[in-house]
Amino acid sequence: MQRRRFLSFCIYLLFILVVFRLIDLMILNHESMARRARIQYTQGEHIPARRGNIYDRNGNELAVSLERKSVYCNPDEIRDPDQTVRLLYRITGQKRRDLLRKVKSGKKFVWLARKIEPDRAEKIEDLRLKGIWMLPDTRRFYPKRRLAAHVIGFVDIDNKGKEGVESRYDHYLRSQARRVALMRDARGNILYTGEVARTGTEDIVLTIDEGLQNITESEINKAVKKWHPRAVTAIMMNPYNGEILALANWPTFDPNSPGKYPAYTRRNRAITDLYEPGSTFKIVMAASALEEGVATLYTRVDCSEGYVEVGGRKIRDIHKLGKITLKEVIQKSSNVGAVKMALKVGPERLYRYMRLLGFGERTGIDLTGESPGIVKPPRRWSGTTIGAVAIGYEVMVTPLQVLRAYATVANGGFLVRPHVVSEIISSEGKSISRNEPEPRRVISRKTALLLRDALKAVVSDDGTAPSASVDGNLVAGKTGTTRLIDKKTGRYSHKAFVSSFVGMVPADNPEFVLIVVIWEPKGRYYGGEVAAPVFRAIAEKALAYRFVPRDDMKAKQVLVVEKMRKKEIEGESF
Amino acid sequence: MRHVFRKKNPFLSLLRVMLVLLPAVLVFAIIWLRSNIVAVEYELGQLEKQKRALQSERIQLVAEKAELTSLDKIERLAVRRFGLTYTDRKKVVFVRETPEPAPFSAGFGENR
């Protein structure tokens, strides 16, 4: 009986001990035990920082992030560096000597190869080399190469935006690299825990149209071959809302390998480079004269002497033009007429209209590095300044500022804010932000229409830019030719010029405004001879690309093809 | 010694059996459920891995497609290989949509 009791006691005691141990494990030391268990069956996985995609306005990919792997090593763990390098150098595509130097560096962590393709990474993994490790990474890829390089920009080796949209919208595009804990069994098989290895990034839709950008860039390249200039810039913009449809610069670069190109090729001249706009600036004089009631388009100015003296300096026309109207002043780009009209307007009002048309301030484009230009207030003007300003000297502007001023004429008097990003889309595909800046009226509709009339005359046979005319559609625009400062003498050069043309088409209902600026063309230099033909070439192709009808379509007999409405067609199966 | 024979209550007997069996069945059910959950977790884990690999491949293919459909590349091929040119606007025909269901009938006439 006693033995039975003893046995029962022992069993009870054992049970009590088990219960105590369970209480200890599950209640008293729950936290630390759970942590230890988690460590045993979970494994951290590195999720690389991925950037959002960049699309053009039609949804074409302009920048994507590709999954890659980066190889690193701990030199202390490598037993045979020579053998390791011998196996690795061909796969990584590096020089044997360079790789050996890295492997023998004596550091604890050395990158051997960054962002290598998955097949090469697999080959390295198959080698199972001791001390060689890999981390998932991403590589920014620009499938259209140089297309819109200055707008898109580029990233550094750590995928941080350095220029263009990549830099300006870095906080939207970029996601932080992180580690997620995944449950794995002893064989390394992953158990689903609901933790999704995804990073939340936003995609960006640009206002740029790949087709128009391509047309602009190819025409710029042709101009470069013809005129051998130092640089070229062309910008095309929707005048009603400020959407940049195309923005191209030459020299340019491939954002896939920006380091291979010198810094000056990466500069976005459209917004950073300042120049004296020359005759394209006469629009300020004309706008102020018309808006302030100083003159009408048909007010006559005496230009018969062929020169005008301002502050002791003579400003001349190429030919003596006689008594001409304000419209003819613009049409024939008369310096004398412009200066005489500016003198009538006066410095204060002229300066006010410069500012109203957006000169001397940043346009607010959503790109980095924009220059505000230089426009001096009248108190800092010298005796010659009013004469110089009237014909576009002693002011420094960017091509985009000039284009914006002409957009004001094209849209009936509103100053728009140029922008390159139209929409930001969340990782769930929802639109989280749209760029719709409000235009601001700066001149009356009447003045804008009068100016447009005057600008149409520039592209006529009697104007300075008949070579800008487009078959089938009226063009309104203005030429500009300015001398550059000779750095050696500090005076205006007789050899180096900036040729430009800015205009809108179709003139009565502009589809876009376009500026072409050519720095230091060789051979000829007048805006009407150098830049205007480039304008025409771009405009003709762009109008065809956008299916803009000819102005004379209504007058001419054209083939009319009838077809079913879209809805009716959708119902049918073909 | 007197033996008293009492009639057994069948309900109590069943209850005793159930008390023994039920926990055992419950334990087995829990184990079975748990193992099934783990199996599904494995399967989901595999599918998740597969999904990620496919997503990665998709991005690669999207990039390749974008590169191949680059207008610059297409233009070069079109001009050099096939001798195509840009549209001559003089020859462009503007198609007007009309409400009549008259598909693809064409004729020369005044533009409406």
Side-chain angles (χ1 to χ4, degrees), chain A residues 327 331-332 453-469 474-477 501:
Chain A
K327 188 176 178 179
Q331 183 186 20
K332 296 176 191 306
D453 264 359
L455 295 174
K456 278 185 213 168
V458 174
V459 189
S460 68
D461 288 341
D462 297 327
T464 53
S467 55
S469 64
L474 261 180
V475 174
F501 185 86

Side-chain angles (χ1 to χ4, degrees), chain B residues 8-26:
Chain B
K8 279 187 179 175
N9 187 340
F11 179 73
L12 278 176
S13 305
L14 188 68
L15 196 69
R16 275 187 202 136
V17 173
M18 288 296 281
L19 276 172
V20 175
L21 278 179
L22 203 66
V25 168
L26 273 173

Side-chain angles (χ1 to χ4, degrees), chain A residues 45 144-145 185 473 562, chain B residues 42 52 66-67 89 112:
Chain A
E45 184 159 321
K144 314 289 181 185
R145 309 281 167 190
D185 66 9
N473 293 102
E562 291 173 352
Chain B
Y42 272 126
R52 279 167 60 192
E67 196 179 12
R89 293 186 70 228
R112 279 172 275 175

Side-chain angles (χ1 to χ4, degrees), chain B residues 32-43:
Chain B
W32 181 77
L33 265 175
R34 181 66 199 142
S35 71
N36 266 5
I37 288 167
V38 170
V40 170
E41 279 176 350
Y42 272 126
E43 207 173 321

Side-chain angles (χ1 to χ4, degrees), chain A residues 45 47 182 197, chain B residues 47-56:
Chain A
E45 184 159 321
I47 306 297
L182 297 174
Chain B
L47 288 170
E48 183 69 24
K49 197 177 166 186
Q50 212 175 327
K51 185 180 136 195
R52 279 167 60 192
L54 287 170
Q55 275 174 340
S56 171

